[in-house]
Amino acid sequence: MAVLMKWLAAQSVKGMTHELFEEPGRTPFLLIEIEGTTPTEKTLFMYGHMDKQPPLLPWEDGLGPYTPVIRDDKLYGRAGADDGYAICGSVASVAALQRAGIPHGRIVITIEGCEESGSFDLPHYINMLKDRIGNVDLVVCLDAGALNYDQLWLTTCLLYTSDAADEEDSVDLGGRRIIKKKKKHKENMNVEKKNEIKYIKQQKKKQTRRDRKNKEN
């Protein structure tokens, strides 16, 4: 935590303020607010998390979880992809816009501390800070995957939205309810996988019948 806060304080981003919340019995939560260089009615909301999975050992020779190494233009270290880059990538992207003289609207960045455990504190902090977060127009979730390093990969939806105000495990964001439906999503994925397997088996049976018919002829 101290390393992240020290890095954040050293960044030269115009109009940026930040506050770290550490409530008793809850995981830490970081709120970063950046004033827009161009006035806008709505807010760009960026999300990431600072907690990490335990490192799996051993690593390849010369690499390790606690000693960052740059090799072939890639940074190796614990949670560099999940999700250590989120705070650096979000703030650095705004700094790059400002250096290039590209205008941007108001931006809010949130970095939570319990995503790997199910984000059980996220609804509390989002609802507590909803007035400071403001009316959100776009959510950018800096916690997804990539299939290669040759292009930028975007996942269009990781969360489900609903207008219902009484959904469990939901948070109010810009007048909408954002609900993590991991269990339902997993069930849907299982159904899709079963259908895919069923289709493959059907195609194999058809091919087998065709092969037998060709041999008979």
Side-chain angles (χ1 to χ4, degrees), residues 35-183:
E35 297 177 1
T37 57
T38 298
T40 55
E41 295 181 359
K42 298 183 179 181
T43 297
L44 170 64
F45 181 90
M46 294 187 183
Y47 161 87
H49 64 91
M50 67 185 85
D51 57 319
K52 305 166 178 61
Q53 290 281 353
L56 298 177
L57 300 174
W59 285 39
E60 184 178 325
D61 290 342
L63 302 178
Y66 306 114
T67 304
V69 173
I70 296 178
R71 180 183 294 178
D72 298 329
D73 293 327
K74 298 180 181 65
L75 175 63
Y76 292 85
R78 183 187 178 198
D82 185 19
D83 194 29
Y85 79 95
I87 182 173
C88 302
S90 57
V91 174
S93 65
V94 180
L97 288 177
Q98 293 185 356
R99 285 196 303 270
I102 300 175
H104 64 79
R106 180 174 182 266
I107 299 170
V108 168
I109 304 168
T110 60
I111 307 294
E112 67 160 315
C114 64
E115 191 276 342
E116 300 292 1
S117 301
S119 297
F120 49 84
D121 283 334
L122 181 61
H124 166 76
Y125 284 117
I126 294 294
N127 287 324
M128 181 181 75
L129 298 169
K130 61 182 179 181
D131 291 337
R132 289 178 62 175
I133 292 173
N135 188 12
V136 173
D137 185 42
L138 176 65
V139 176
V140 178
C141 178
L142 296 165
D143 186 19
L147 300 182
N148 59 44
Y149 295 101
D150 301 323
Q151 62 200 65
L152 176 65
W153 290 82
L154 299 178
T155 302
T156 55
C157 183
L158 292 176
L159 302 176
Y160 295 83
T161 61
S162 169
D163 288 322
D166 57 351
E167 295 279 5
E168 294 183 359
D169 299 325
S170 63
V171 294
D172 191 344
L173 196 59
R176 297 282 288 176
R177 306 297 294 186
I178 292 185
I179 312 143
K180 282 199 170 183
K181 294 187 175 180
K182 293 183 177 179
K183 183 177 180 181

Side-chain angles (χ1 to χ4, degrees), residues 179-193:
I179 312 143
K180 282 199 170 183
K181 294 187 175 180
K182 293 183 177 179
K183 183 177 180 181
K184 185 66 177 179
H185 180 64
K186 185 176 181 180
E187 292 174 355
N188 291 339
M189 290 294 290
N190 288 338
V191 171
E192 292 177 3
K193 189 64 177 178

